[in-house]
Amino acid sequence: MSLFRGPRTRLAALQMRIEPGQREENLARAAKLLSTAREREADLACLPATFATGLNFPTLRGDATAEDGPVVEFLAEQARTLGLHIAAGVLLSEGRDIYDAAVLIGPGGDPLGWYHRACVWEGEAEYVSTGSPREVIDTPVGRIGLLVSYDLRFPEASRHYLVQDADLLVCVANLFGPFSHPLRSICRARAADTECALVFAGGVGENRFANMTYTGRSMIVDGLVQDVKQDPEADVLAEAGPDAHETVIHADIHLRQRRKTRAGLPFHDDVRALWTTTHGGRDR
């Protein structure tokens, strides 16, 4: 703990290879990466979207799990054993709907909140149901807003988190490599838009149905950095780089210091006064 900055929160992005439909193998991979995050004293560990199964249209319903299914049970047990907050992407079944979802699990093993991907592209709309904005999740490691994959492309998907005083955006993702060139810029923009830190946890591997590879490129970005005269990269706190391999990256933030910095900037108050969202109703 720093006397002036307050206690440290260590964030970890777990870049994981996802084998389509191989649940047990994927869970074993995730367990190893989570153990590494714990060894590095992470407070919050973030796994990619659909980390246990991948997202493959021909096997979608067989791969999906319920909120109390085996994938969530695995996450709960890992959180309890390791004493971690865990954010992860889950292919979620709810009645006839299948959601590309994210869940945040507390260190006691209880789900603290769910989010269903709100931005679904036209080609998958027949398979994946569209979610809607959710409330920020208040936790001991900060006020957290969840996003999934394609949401990152749309400022509207995270705009409501700004007026909910989010400290951190977590985007669990599986994004195709051929469309990933702007990813670094987009992550930096979303963090700045929301005046918070952003953890982007990307998967690696192949989607054989689409015949494309996933990009990885996990990173942790600080959207509150204002002056970069000395270091233009100061807002990129950690980055996996372009190589598509499994890795764990981490970075520290100090919530007390960050909240004080944000309170001294005009954007947060101005957006409350001037901006009405078209994505989640009128700002509060």
Side-chain angles (χ1 to χ4, degrees), residues 38-58:
R38 177 69 279 178
E39 290 171 2
R40 298 186 185 179
E41 300 182 343
D43 299 295
L44 170 66
C46 307
L47 286 160
T50 61
F51 79 97
T53 59
L55 196 158
N56 298 280
F57 298 149

Side-chain angles (χ1 to χ4, degrees), residues 13-17 33 46-48 200-204 215-219 239-249:
L14 282 51
Q15 182 163 292
M16 175 184 154
R17 176 169 294 278
L33 293 170
C46 307
L47 286 160
F200 175 83
V204 295
T215 187
R217 295 185 63 187
S218 300
M219 65 189 81
E239 189 171 17
D243 296 330
H245 62 276
E246 288 191 324
T247 188
V248 175
I249 61 172

Side-chain angles (χ1 to χ4, degrees), residues 12-16 18 45-49 87-89 147 149 152 169-175 187 198-204 216-220 249:
L14 282 51
Q15 182 163 292
M16 175 184 154
I18 302 169
C46 307
L47 286 160
L147 298 172
S149 291
L152 194 69
L169 293 183
V170 174
C171 183
V172 301
N174 261 338
L175 296 178
C187 284
L198 181 146
V199 179
F200 175 83
V204 295
R217 295 185 63 187
S218 300
M219 65 189 81
I220 302 172
I249 61 172

Side-chain angles (χ1 to χ4, degrees), residues 15 70 98 111-112 137 151 184-185 191 198 221 244 250 266:
Q15 182 163 292
I98 303 294
L112 304 179
I137 305 168
D151 290 325
R184 197 169 190 259
S185 298
L198 181 146
V221 180
H250 69 269

Side-chain angles (χ1 to χ4, degrees), residues 7-149:
R8 177 207 75 189
T9 299
R10 179 158 292 177
L11 312 173
L14 282 51
Q15 182 163 292
M16 175 184 154
R17 176 169 294 278
I18 302 169
E19 296 295 339
Q22 301 299 312
R23 179 178 292 173
E24 295 308 313
E25 181 178 342
N26 291 329
L27 294 184
R29 287 176 178 272
K32 290 181 180 179
L33 293 170
L34 287 166
S35 180
T36 298
R38 177 69 279 178
E39 290 171 2
R40 298 186 185 179
E41 300 182 343
D43 299 295
L44 170 66
C46 307
L47 286 160
T50 61
F51 79 97
T53 59
L55 196 158
N56 298 280
F57 298 149
T59 62
L60 203 66
R61 291 202 172 272
D63 290 338
T65 187
E67 285 192 6
D68 59 354
V71 175
V72 183
E73 288 181 359
F74 163 82
L75 292 170
E77 178 61 27
Q78 290 291 312
R80 283 192 297 266
T81 301
L82 300 173
L84 278 172
H85 286 80
I86 299 175
V90 177
L91 189 60
L92 182 67
S93 175
E94 288 190 356
R96 296 183 60 84
D97 290 315
I98 303 294
Y99 293 102
D100 193 3
V103 63
L104 179 66
I105 306 288
D110 298 319
L112 304 179
W114 282 89
Y115 170 79
H116 303 160
R117 174 155 61 95
C119 300
V120 176
W121 56 277
E122 183 179 3
E124 64 182 353
E126 293 183 8
Y127 305 92
V128 179
S129 297
T130 301
S132 59
R134 296 288 180 97
E135 298 296 303
V136 71
I137 305 168
D138 204 350
T139 80
V141 295
R143 293 174 57 80
I144 298 174
L146 298 175
L147 298 172
V148 178
S149 291

